[in-house]
Amino acid sequence: MIVMKFGGTSVGGSEAIARTVEIIRGRLGKKPVVVVSAMTKITDLLYRIADAAASKDLRGVEENVRDLRERHIATAEQLLENDAANLLPAISRVNEICDELEHYVLAVCALGELSDRSKAKIVSNGELLSSTIICHVMNSKGIRTTWMDARKVMVTDSCYMQGEPDMSEICARVPGAVAEAYEGMDAIITQGFIASNADGVQTVLGRGGSDYSASLIGMAIDAKAIEIWTDVDGVLTADPRRVNGAKRLARLSFEEAAEMAHFGAKVLHPLTIEPAVRKNIPIYVLNSMNPSCEGTLILQSNQIEDGVKSVSFKENILVINIFSTKMINASGFLSKVFDIFSNNGVSVDLVSTSEASISVTCDSSTKNIDRVVADLSDFAKVELVRDKSQISVIGKNLVSQKDVMQRIALPMRGIRLYLISQDASHINFSFVVDRELLNETVNKIHDSLFA
Ligand code: ADP
Ligand code: ASP
Ligand code: MG
């Protein structure tokens, strides 16, 4: 068996869905479990519906739910116009999902109070809608397909908007459900992103979480491969929307891919790699708009050559500079500082230290940062610096490569650096620059390394 995950643009409209169904047809011999995201922009629309409800904006709710319903019905009609046996149940299910959502959101709107639990229920509808339509299209095109409810098999904790998967429960539930759903069928389709807690209350895996769903399912069924189908030719040397001349990487190690994803490359959800590593399952990143391209193959590190693979970045980060004001020894200082980050649930990206000061970076959207600063201020002088960007050069054994450091350093002449950090396994060299210099710096470094 293999897992095939199709992202928002790969299922973003009738043409994309038709192309996707043909790609799946080409893999039927490998018994695919198909995981789909919501149609492109639909999850954003659902977030807007949730926000409108929270602010009691009844008109906003109604208009956006109408938009949601119309987009899905129009897509179903375009794809199934000559097949009433599939079109009618598809439309009826789309209406059922939208009606239920509307009732629910109107209740939230009346209260004007939106919990994470309610929000997760609202934003998960995109995957329910897309998978319903695509399932009918596959059946209409002669691929016998069962719709599997991810909420019954993907179990997380009760962190509703960013559920932490319960790996052992997922491994216990998925194989049986897949085997049952496959009986007499050519394929199974299920939803990315959505899950439930142990009590069956809906949760989601966080933005972009469908990649993670695919790799969790792959792990649970011991898939031969996990294919992530998206809208670019594979993992590239940099984000093609920001960097000119980004090139496809034919092969990457699990570690390199994980590092890239954690350090800003949106092409994969940062946690996608971990479940695949557990079972050593190769991940392919492929382009649904250009299926004949070989894409990127992600494998165990010993099969991957050393060298620089990418320049990733996070555009908007915070730097926190912490200066010890008391005479404490360095180890006591470090542990006190990191306890505060951990107690406030704040995760740190980069760290750089000297005898009596520490600089760390965090995502700008980090909650509780004010609490962290207040707690640190009890024993240290703290400086919170905003509007910075973090750039990471990633590749196996990169520092041992001849000239690499020089090629990174040369284009940086005259650019102020706020923090520099190199990890112990020599896979990641990162630094922080002013946000307004991000584009220029990333492009210069990319040119210097890859042109
Ligand atoms: P999907 O909807 O298929 O999950 P995403 O939009 O989440 O797609 O991810 C694909 C996008 O990631 C690409 O269109 C590209 O703009 C962006 N991206 C950022 N960094 C990279 C990179 N290093 N390689 C490839 N794509 C990247
Ligand atoms: N639909 C979800 C999102 O937009 C999950 C995903 O696309 O991976 O975040
Ligand atoms: Mg994605």
Side-chain angles (χ1 to χ4, degrees):
M1 274 191 179
I2 62 166
V3 176
M4 302 176 79
K5 176 262 171 178
F6 292 89
T9 40
S10 303
V11 297
S14 53
E15 274 175 33
I17 293 175
R19 214 168 21 229
T20 285
V21 170
E22 291 316 308
I23 293 171
I24 298 168
R25 191 195 299 286
R27 302 282 204 271
L28 292 182
K30 298 182 174 174
K31 294 188 88 181
V33 175
V34 177
V35 175
V36 290
S37 294
M39 291 172 68
T40 183
K41 304 268 163 47
I42 291 296
T43 308
D44 295 339
L45 178 62
L46 289 162
Y47 271 76
R48 285 204 296 283
I49 291 174
D51 289 342
S55 54
K56 293 186 165 242
D57 171 9
L58 188 60
R59 230 175 104 198
V61 165
E62 285 173 349
E63 278 174 9
N64 284 324
V65 174
R66 194 178 318 124
D67 188 13
L68 180 80
R69 192 189 298 265
E70 282 172 4
R71 260 195 73 183
H72 287 91
I73 289 184
T75 304
E77 282 174 347
Q78 284 156 17
L79 284 157
L80 297 165
E81 57 184 351
N82 299 318
D83 180 3
N86 275 295
L87 178 60
L88 297 179
I91 289 187
S92 136
R93 183 73 187 121
V94 167
N95 277 322
E96 208 173 277
I97 294 169
C98 291
D99 289 346
E100 199 188 307
L101 170 71
E102 194 158 16
H103 277 123
Y104 190 82
V105 179
L106 289 176
V108 173
C109 200
L111 288 170
E113 204 179 278
L114 180 72
S115 62
D116 273 1
R117 178 174 164 147
S118 305
K119 195 167 180 178
K121 189 166 163 65
I122 294 169
V123 301
S124 60
N125 283 286
E127 274 71 12
L128 294 177
L129 288 163
S130 63
S131 60
T132 297
I133 294 173
I134 299 165
C135 184
H136 281 289
V137 175
M138 287 170 70
N139 279 299
S140 170
K141 302 224 177 202
I143 304 172
R144 293 167 305 164
T145 309
T146 318
W147 187 88
M148 186 171 87
D149 191 338
R151 297 166 299 182
K152 301 247 163 71
V153 292
M154 302 300 281
V155 185
T156 68
D157 66 4
S158 295
C159 188
Y160 296 100
M161 291 300 292
Q162 187 91 44
E164 164 95 26
D166 179 338
M167 304 272 188
S168 58
E169 197 55 35
I170 290 171
C171 286
R173 293 191 192 191
V174 171
V178 165
E180 192 180 321
Y182 237 112
E183 262 169 49
M185 290 289 155
D186 302 317
I188 302 177
I189 187 163
T190 191
Q191 309 76 42
F193 184 51
I194 72 176
S196 293
N197 71 9
D199 300 324
V201 180
Q202 222 158 299
T203 62
V204 294
L205 299 179
R207 291 309 307 261
S210 297
D211 301 330
Y212 195 20
S213 302
S215 109
L216 288 163
I217 293 173
M219 170 194 74
I221 61 171
D222 280 314
K224 285 259 179 311
I226 296 163
E227 296 183 350
I228 306 288
W229 289 85
T230 183
D231 58 358
V232 283
D233 275 346
V235 180
L236 309 178
T237 48
D239 184 344
R241 285 169 304 187
R242 301 294 283 272
V243 174
N244 300 320
K247 299 181 177 62
R248 177 175 68 91
L249 292 157
R251 289 152 72 92
L252 270 182
S253 70
F254 286 129
E255 292 76 10
E256 288 169 328
E259 208 73 23
M260 286 177 72
H262 274 289
F263 284 86
K266 192 192 163 214
V267 63
L268 288 174
H269 181 277
L271 300 173
T272 309
I273 304 298
E274 197 212 326
V277 170
R278 285 187 184 218
K279 296 276 181 79
N280 192 19
I281 303 170
I283 300 178
Y284 293 83
V285 179
L286 298 155
N287 188 353
S288 68
M289 322 284 170
N290 182 19
S292 60
C293 176
E294 281 173 13
T296 300
L297 171 56
I298 306 173
L299 288 170
Q300 261 183 341
S301 182
N302 58 12
Q303 299 178 57
I304 300 298
E305 53 292 348
D306 286 354
V308 178
K309 304 296 179 351
S310 102
V311 183
S312 299
F313 61 84
K314 286 191 176 178
E315 171 148 22
N316 191 4
I317 57 125
L318 304 171
V319 180
I320 305 157
N321 295 319
I322 307 147
F323 308 90
S324 163
T325 49
K326 293 201 183 109
M327 294 300 288
I328 7 179
N329 63 44
S331 63
F333 183 52
L334 284 176
S335 76
K336 238 172 139 179
V337 165
F338 287 111
D339 277 352
I340 287 174
F341 281 95
S342 146
N343 294 340
N344 285 294
V346 170
S347 93
V348 164
D349 268 349
L350 302 178
V351 184
S352 165
T353 68
S354 74
E355 173 64 18
S357 70
I358 309 176
S359 295
V360 303
T361 65
C362 297
D363 206 272
S364 63
S365 61
T366 306
K367 287 182 194 151
N368 295 344
I369 202 69
D370 294 337
R371 288 227 303 268
V372 168
V373 171
D375 292 352
L376 290 169
S377 300
D378 285 344
F379 63 93
K381 180 170 159 273
V382 186
E383 208 176 69
L384 182 63
V385 190
R386 296 184 187 276
D387 281 329
K388 299 289 168 255
S389 298
Q390 180 172 309
I391 300 175
S392 305
V393 179
I394 291 159
K396 190 178 158 194
N397 282 327
L398 86 121
V399 283
S400 61
Q401 302 297 296
K402 200 163 154 270
D403 291 348
V404 163
M405 285 306 168
Q406 218 175 332
R407 283 168 148 195
I408 297 172
L410 270 178
M412 305 245 290
R413 230 177 329 178
I415 293 174
R416 176 162 177 199
L417 297 181
Y418 291 83
L419 187 156
I420 299 178
S421 161
Q422 184 194 307
D423 77 311
S425 27
H426 298 174
I427 196 174
N428 180 330
F429 179 81
S430 294
F431 46 89
V432 173
V433 297
D434 283 316
R435 189 171 171 184
E436 64 266 22
L437 294 181
L438 172 67
N439 263 351
E440 178 191 331
T441 315
V442 165
N443 274 284
K444 277 184 179 169
I445 293 177
H446 186 269
D447 280 352
S448 171
L449 289 168
F450 297 104

